Amino acid sequence: MSGRRLESGLFQGGGTAAMLVFRYIMAVALGWEPYVSCQGITCREMRGYPLFHEAAMNLHSHRFVLALALASAFSAPLAMAASGPQPQPQPVVKQTWTALGGDLGFIWNVDLLRDYGITLKSATGVSDPDSREFVAVPLRDQGGLSFAVTDTNFDHFVGGRLALRGGFSLNSPAGELSLVDAVVVPRGTNSQMLDVVDAAGNKLFYLDRLMYAIADEGRTVDVQTMDLRLHADLARRLGKPEITDWVVAQMRMRLEVVAQNGNYIDIVQGAPVWPGTVVPGVTPEQRFQADVFMLSFQGQYSRCTNSLGCTTGCTCDGPNTATNGYAVFTPSSTLRNNVNNGTANPTVAGDPNGTSSALYSADVAWYRKFSGTFAPYDNDQHPNLIWNLYRIDANNRIEQIGRSGVKHAFVTTNTGCDNSGPGSGGSTGAILGLACSDTYGTGNNDSNGDLGPRNEIIPARGEWGRCGSIFDPNCDLSADPSGNTNYSQRMITRESQLTAGGTYFMESWYIVREDINIYNTMASRPVTFSYGASWSMSNGTPQLLGPVINRWVSPTTANPNQKNVEVASAEGHTRVAVNVVDLGNGAWRYDYAVMNLDFARAVTQGTSKYSDDSDPAQRFRVIHNFGFDRFSVPLPAGVTVSSLEFNDGELDAANDWTATTSGGSVTWTAPVNPTPPANTPAVLNPLNWGTMFRFSFVANQAPTAADVDLHVAQSGTPASYTASVLAPATPAVDLIFVDNFESASRH
């Protein structure tokens, strides 16, 4: 409500000077622009009242705490006169500040630019790459951006501009594109988007998906990452309007706040309520619970190479067959914390799984790796993000054709928070508050410094083995470069899989410690692919919460030839789904999809509590986090099978599981690793978390209810898990041949 003129209510009617000052200050605290009618007291008397002049001068830069303190002092007599407790509003107060100086950091997606004939020509006045690979361009100490701040965080840009001191020049089919001395300006007066404009006034790019925090005790606006996208004007100049909005660089920005009367931004930080905390004053006892939702996501093409490790002449050729390149696709993913604060309300409206069963939403730890040791887990706990790609062919057979590494989350923007409840209220970028949302953009999810392998995570517990990870291989507790290339830890799909036809789905999900429902932290949507100068991904609808396997076969299906069940334990969750097709002539095809969501029987060393790190033996290391190594389907006597198939979505036949039929079952077994690492099962290509394999065969019998078996790669109890689905039935016995009837009839 900032900027609204209030000409009634608080300021209508007469009253003493003290009363009007109280009303004035309350209006300021509410973010209104009061219009004082001065009825019952002369305006001269009003303006002469102590503190009134100062309050008026600070209308656009007031301090929330001061306003509430003054309002409280003036309202004491009124409160005494009130009959019973009066509900008090908790307004979101907005202040306007200015920031300038600092720098902009760039990580260009040179592979994607190359697809459209754009190359980096030169760089003027830029820094060497920092530890996160950003190349910085300094900003001039003049002008500055004006922005609004709530009582808990940055909110939006208001106006102003930033000028680069130096920058990049790029060659393109439309001529040279110069960012040297370019300016950055807000798009509108209530936006989190910034246009990048060259010296001639041409809009080249724009910035969005800002992940920001007010840092250094209010002295710094720290935008830790944001996406640099192609502006529509530049896309038209290039003759490629379809690439408007494509992310071509990951960015960061650090600005210095201009003090006001010697003061800096004052962020009010609430005390967090962690998972498991008892909700005060509620009977019967309730506890705060973590339940994070995938609100929305969209995938984008990032790059393609005709050979991994290629350095020159790496262009892919799409649906042509000269190459079978490696294409990378990356999502922009937005989550939201559960909105419930005593009553059940939808967090994702319109989705059947969009309402949490947790009536009280807990805060969620969101600390950057290597940033320190923090409550409530005595470490730098943070969520992780993965994404997968699936294809369902014309015969309704499903395969997982792409899977990413792990994106380590590091800051939450906390937009759209509900500040009415207990907890942090979204006041810090290190804690996700009640109903708060956060977006990780495409550029950030494609960052070498934040992507790691899945084998460092205990998914059901949300724990990361820092010791021995690619970020700390020597376990000295200090961050090292990841060693990633632009194709490491990415979701890679071969070009031939994108042209094979069928229906495609992308899936994105977060791994959050102590989250009570893994199914609403993930979502999927249909996607389609096309090829022009490069690959392109189009995002379809509907997006639905839950994994893709639940779209292939619904857990609530009434089809007697389908089944989808969950196998759940303290070690994690797996889904087994089967689709049986009558091929005619007494033949039935059985397709089993086994989706390991977050199951791992891990072997670890040490503890995840950093307070134990003084003893090197206690530094937390994941030795392995294997899932399953065998899958068996019962085959009653008389059942014959053929066309046995294993599909792991890869095109590498060397690590395929092998099928055998014996002992009343058909069993697929993972290959043996002849030289396994210490304390690791001798298994290659196990069915690990976040991964789906398909097992298929044709049988001579129709389906019936039966248990299939999943054997765990790591020894322990139980040795295997069962899932009650469908399998071939026992053949019917022909009564003509019972009791030697046929033999007797011949005599």
Side-chain angles (χ1 to χ4, degrees):
M1 300 180 68
S2 180
R4 175 180 173 184
R5 294 185 69 188
L6 185 68
E7 301 189 47
S8 60
L10 284 175
F11 284 87
Q12 292 302 306
T16 65
M19 180 67 71
L20 284 178
V21 170
F22 160 70
R23 292 170 176 169
Y24 180 95
I25 294 170
M26 284 304 297
V28 169
L30 288 168
W32 296 334
E33 179 180 341
Y35 174 78
V36 184
S37 64
C38 300
Q39 296 178 11
I41 184 173
T42 68
C43 291
R44 179 174 298 178
E45 290 174 313
M46 181 72 173
R47 294 189 178 97
Y49 198 88
L51 294 178
F52 174 82
H53 182 70
E54 181 180 346
M57 293 301 99
N58 284 286
L59 176 60
H60 298 293
S61 60
H62 53 273
R63 296 172 180 78
F64 183 53
V65 175
L66 173 62
L68 288 184
L70 291 170
S72 175
F74 280 106
S75 63
L78 299 179
M80 293 174 61
S83 58
Q86 299 297 310
Q88 297 297 319
Q90 298 187 13
V92 175
V93 178
K94 292 182 180 177
Q95 314 165 46
T96 300
W97 294 79
T98 298
L100 44 74
D103 58 39
L104 276 177
F106 291 74
I107 301 176
W108 291 99
N109 187 340
V110 294
D111 301 291
L112 182 57
L113 291 172
R114 180 199 62 211
D115 287 343
Y116 289 93
I118 303 174
T119 58
L120 296 179
K121 177 184 178 182
S122 62
T124 303
V126 305
S127 72
D128 293 330
D130 63 15
S131 61
R132 295 182 63 204
E133 303 184 14
F134 285 104
V135 176
V137 179
L139 296 167
R140 298 186 184 278
D141 293 325
Q142 59 187 35
L145 286 177
S146 297
F147 58 95
V149 176
T150 69
D151 57 345
T152 57
N153 214 332
F154 169 90
D155 193 73
H156 66 270
F157 295 109
V158 174
R161 55 190 277 157
L162 294 172
L164 280 67
R165 190 168 65 245
F168 295 91
S169 293
L170 300 88
N171 289 321
S172 83
E176 182 176 338
L177 308 175
S178 178
L179 293 180
V180 176
D181 298 337
V183 296
V184 177
V185 296
R187 181 177 291 186
T189 58
N190 187 14
S191 173
Q192 289 194 5
M193 298 171 65
L194 297 165
D195 285 323
V196 181
V197 184
D198 68 14
N202 299 306
K203 295 178 180 178
L204 302 180
F205 306 99
Y206 70 93
L207 295 160
D208 74 347
R209 300 291 195 270
L210 279 69
M211 302 196 68
Y212 45 75
I214 303 299
D216 301 331
E217 298 182 335
R219 289 171 165 79
T220 303
V221 178
D222 185 12
V223 182
Q224 299 185 26
T225 186
M226 51 188 170
D227 285 342
L228 182 72
R229 297 177 181 266
L230 282 165
H231 196 282
D233 291 357
L234 177 56
R236 284 191 293 267
R237 287 174 58 190
L238 295 170
K240 301 287 183 181
E242 68 274 11
I243 65 174
T244 297
D245 303 327
W246 280 31
V247 177
V248 295
Q250 181 190 359
M251 304 279 290
R252 66 156 178 77
M253 179 170 64
R254 191 169 178 86
L255 305 177
E256 300 168 2
V257 175
V258 178
Q260 296 181 10
N261 300 324
N263 297 310
Y264 291 92
I265 300 172
D266 183 19
I267 297 298
V268 180
Q269 294 192 6
V273 287
W274 300 118
T277 303
V278 174
V279 180
V282 175
T283 303
E285 181 180 280
Q286 296 277 343
R287 293 180 182 270
F288 293 100
Q289 295 176 292
D291 196 8
V292 174
F293 288 73
M294 178 64 72
L295 185 61
S296 65
F297 78 93
Q298 290 190 321
Q300 181 192 297
Y301 165 71
S302 293
R303 65 185 59 84
C304 188
T305 182
N306 57 36
S307 176
L308 294 177
C310 177
T311 56
T312 59
C314 306
T315 304
C316 296
D317 69 351
N320 300 312
T321 56
T323 69
N324 187 13
Y326 302 78
V328 175
F329 298 89
T330 312
S332 171
S333 301
T334 300
L335 59 85
R336 192 181 191 194
N337 201 5
N338 176 19
V339 303
N340 292 346
N341 186 29
T343 57
N345 293 293
T347 299
V348 181
D351 193 289
N353 297 308
T355 301
S356 176
S357 62
L359 289 181
Y360 294 90
S361 178
D363 288 331
V364 178
W366 217 275
Y367 297 97
R368 179 189 288 276
K369 61 184 186 301
F370 299 98
S371 62
T373 303
F374 307 96
Y377 305 111
D378 189 12
N379 60 14
D380 50 8
Q381 186 68 40
H382 52 265
N384 297 288
L385 174 66
I386 66 170
W387 48 97
N388 299 311
L389 185 64
Y390 301 81
R391 172 179 169 265
I392 300 175
D393 69 14
N395 295 315
N396 197 32
R397 292 183 298 183
I398 189 171
E399 58 180 341
Q400 186 186 64
I401 61 173
R403 54 188 75 105
S404 71
V406 168
K407 159 63 188 297
H408 288 260
F410 57 84
V411 67
T412 171
T413 56
N414 285 326
T415 59
C417 301
D418 180 353
N419 296 317
S420 65
S424 66
S427 59
T428 167
I431 301 174
L432 183 73
L434 171 65
C436 296
S437 295
D438 183 49
T439 298
Y440 278 90
T442 303
N444 179 244
N445 286 336
D446 190 45
S447 171
N448 285 336
D450 298 307
L451 288 167
R454 295 186 184 185
N455 63 14
E456 298 174 357
I457 304 295
I458 311 297
R461 303 205 306 257
E463 294 178 338
W464 168 51
R466 179 182 62 178
C467 177
S469 71
I470 67 170
F471 303 104
D472 186 15
N474 58 359
C475 197
D476 65 356
L477 312 183
S478 298
D480 295 317
S482 67
N484 287 330
T485 72
N486 288 342
Y487 290 87
S488 304
Q489 323 302 342
R490 271 47 173 208
M491 188 183 80
I492 296 176
T493 303
R494 302 297 294 275
E495 289 186 284
S496 60
Q497 296 173 299
L498 300 175
T499 59
T503 303
Y504 295 85
F505 290 93
M506 192 173 185
E507 175 184 81
S508 178
W509 87 68
Y510 282 88
I511 299 92
V512 179
R513 187 162 179 171
E514 293 192 80
D515 193 290
I516 66 168
N517 184 354
I518 65 168
Y519 293 105
N520 58 30
T521 66
M522 60 184 71
S524 67
R525 68 185 317 144
V527 294
T528 56
F529 300 95
S530 59
Y531 188 84
S534 71
W535 284 103
S536 178
M537 172 187 278
S538 297
N539 295 277
T541 57
Q543 175 186 296
L544 294 175
L545 293 172
V548 168
I549 193 172
N550 287 359
R551 299 180 82 135
W552 181 59
V553 172
S554 171
T556 59
T557 182
N559 187 335
N561 292 335
Q562 293 183 332
K563 193 79 170 179
N564 180 341
V565 300
E566 178 189 65
V567 180
S569 71
E571 296 182 289
H573 304 76
T574 301
R575 297 206 75 91
V576 180
V578 59
N579 181 58
V580 185
V581 178
D582 185 352
L583 300 176
N585 299 317
W588 301 76
R589 190 183 76 239
Y590 290 76
D591 294 313
Y592 296 88
V594 182
M595 180 69 201
N596 182 346
L597 295 165
D598 65 349
F599 176 90
R601 183 170 291 171
V603 173
T604 63
Q605 174 184 304
T607 79
S608 62
K609 295 182 177 181
Y610 288 178
S611 60
D612 296 331
D613 284 348
S614 57
D615 179 358
Q618 294 302 311
R619 297 173 184 175
F620 191 57
R621 180 192 298 266
V622 176
I623 296 172
H624 81 79
N625 64 352
F626 283 6
F628 305 105
D629 64 351
R630 286 205 306 269
F631 175 67
S632 298
V633 179
L635 295 179
V639 174
T640 60
V641 295
S642 61
S643 303
L644 280 74
E645 181 183 348
F646 167 78
N647 186 294
D648 59 2
E650 301 174 352
L651 301 183
D652 179 10
N655 65 5
D656 283 356
W657 291 22
T658 55
T660 57
T661 303
S662 63
S665 66
V666 55
T667 299
W668 284 264
T669 304
V672 173
N673 183 355
T675 56
N679 302 311
T680 301
V683 176
L684 292 173
N685 196 26
L687 177 51
N688 291 336
W689 75 275
T691 302
M692 189 192 76
F693 291 171
R694 176 171 54 81
F695 309 88
S696 301
F697 59 82
V698 174
N700 65 340
Q701 293 296 319
T704 190
D707 289 346
V708 298
D709 182 87
L710 282 166
H711 184 268
V712 183
Q714 174 66 37
S715 61
T717 304
S720 62
Y721 288 89
T722 59
S724 298
V725 286
L726 304 171
T730 301
V733 177
D734 191 336
L735 295 178
I736 292 177
F737 300 103
V738 174
D739 295 329
N740 296 317
F741 179 84
E742 181 184 38
S743 175
S745 67
R746 293 176 179 173
H747 295 281

